[in-house]
């Protein structure tokens, strides 16, 4: 039971991170013009890796 809750939570977190990344895209594009990049790709990759690792347990 714990693993199902863990998987569901990681999946929801992954989907939320993707949604935040899509919403923040215009902000990220504007900040990039000034030489600053938002590290959203690292957040999505880390959560995605955790979700995939939990699937293989």
């Amino acid at each position: 039971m714990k693993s199902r809750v863990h998987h569901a939570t990681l999946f929801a977190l992954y989907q939320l991170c993707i949604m935040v990344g899509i919403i923040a895209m215009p902000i990220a594009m504007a900040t990039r013009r000034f030489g600053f990049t938002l590290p959203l790709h690292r957040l999505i990759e880390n959560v995605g890796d955790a979700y995939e690792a939990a699937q293989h347990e």
Side-chain angles (χ1 to χ4, degrees), residues 17 36-49:
C17 288
F36 179 73
T37 58
L38 297 177
L40 292 174
H41 64 281
R42 283 190 263 162
L43 174 68
I44 293 172
E45 286 176 4
N46 289 339
V47 173
D49 291 344

Side-chain angles (χ1 to χ4, degrees):
M1 182 67 174
K2 181 181 175 185
S3 66
R4 292 181 107 187
V5 173
H6 184 69
H7 288 213
T9 303
L10 282 174
F11 179 72
L13 182 61
Y14 182 62
Q15 294 297 318
L16 179 67
C17 288
I18 291 174
M19 184 179 70
V20 167
I22 291 170
I23 291 170
M25 179 76 75
I27 297 167
M29 291 173 67
T31 59
R32 186 175 234 175
R33 290 183 141 204
F34 298 107
F36 179 73
T37 58
L38 297 177
L40 292 174
H41 64 281
R42 283 190 263 162
L43 174 68
I44 293 172
E45 286 176 4
N46 289 339
V47 173
D49 291 344
Y51 176 66
E52 289 177 11
Q55 278 185 328
H56 297 293
E57 289 180 355

